[in-house]
Amino acid sequence: MAQTARTNAAFLPEPPQSPAAKAVYEDDLASDGYVNNLTRVWCWRPDVLMSFQSLAWGARLAGMSDEETAAGVLRGDEADLSERETALADWSRRVVTDPNATTEADTRRLREAGLSDRPPPRGT
């Protein structure tokens, strides 16, 4: 029986097998039905994938607040946040961690905290 060789769309061969790489591949398969090329690249260093994601969004958050607040939000330390900010931070972590697992209850909490699905009217 002839075997069909897998051709890589990217210039890198498949990354080494590891539990971390396998978990990232399974996440892609569960959410998208296939493994994204970017995932294949990141799986050469799955140990830095989460750090990169935190850094990318943490730097943006720090620019909108301050480094100490951003670090606290990323860690889940919400002691200095308002109820609205806490709801938004919690929802954001849920979406980043497992977007397909978010529920209506998650969005209900945002609405109860005063956030809306609709943009504010122009001029406000």
Side-chain angles (χ1 to χ4, degrees):
M1 179 187 278
Q3 277 191 317
T4 304
R6 182 187 178 287
T7 58
N8 289 321
F11 63 92
L12 291 174
E14 284 292 319
Q17 295 296 309
S18 70
K22 182 180 179 187
V24 176
Y25 271 40
E26 288 175 356
D27 284 346
D28 269 13
L29 289 169
S31 64
D32 301 330
Y34 60 92
V35 177
N36 294 286
N37 285 334
L38 186 58
T39 300
R40 294 179 198 284
V41 172
W42 272 113
C43 280
W44 278 91
R45 290 296 310 269
D47 57 314
V48 296
L49 177 59
M50 281 303 293
S51 297
F52 170 76
Q53 290 172 334
S54 294
L55 177 63
W57 293 109
R60 190 169 189 182
L61 178 59
M64 297 172 74
S65 59
D66 59 68
E67 291 180 11
E68 185 176 327
T69 300
V73 169
L74 292 172
R75 283 191 311 268
D77 177 10
E78 300 163 347
D80 295 330
L81 300 181
S82 68
E83 180 182 342
R84 180 181 170 139
E85 292 166 334
T86 299
L88 186 57
D90 183 52
W91 177 82
S92 298
R93 279 191 301 276
R94 289 175 188 269
V95 169
V96 168
T97 304
D98 189 357
N100 293 325
T102 58
T103 66
E104 176 60 28
D106 297 321
T107 55
R108 187 176 329 112
R109 181 174 177 213
L110 292 171
R111 289 185 195 105
E112 289 169 356
L115 296 162
S116 172
D117 297 351
R118 299 194 171 126
R122 290 182 180 245
T124 60

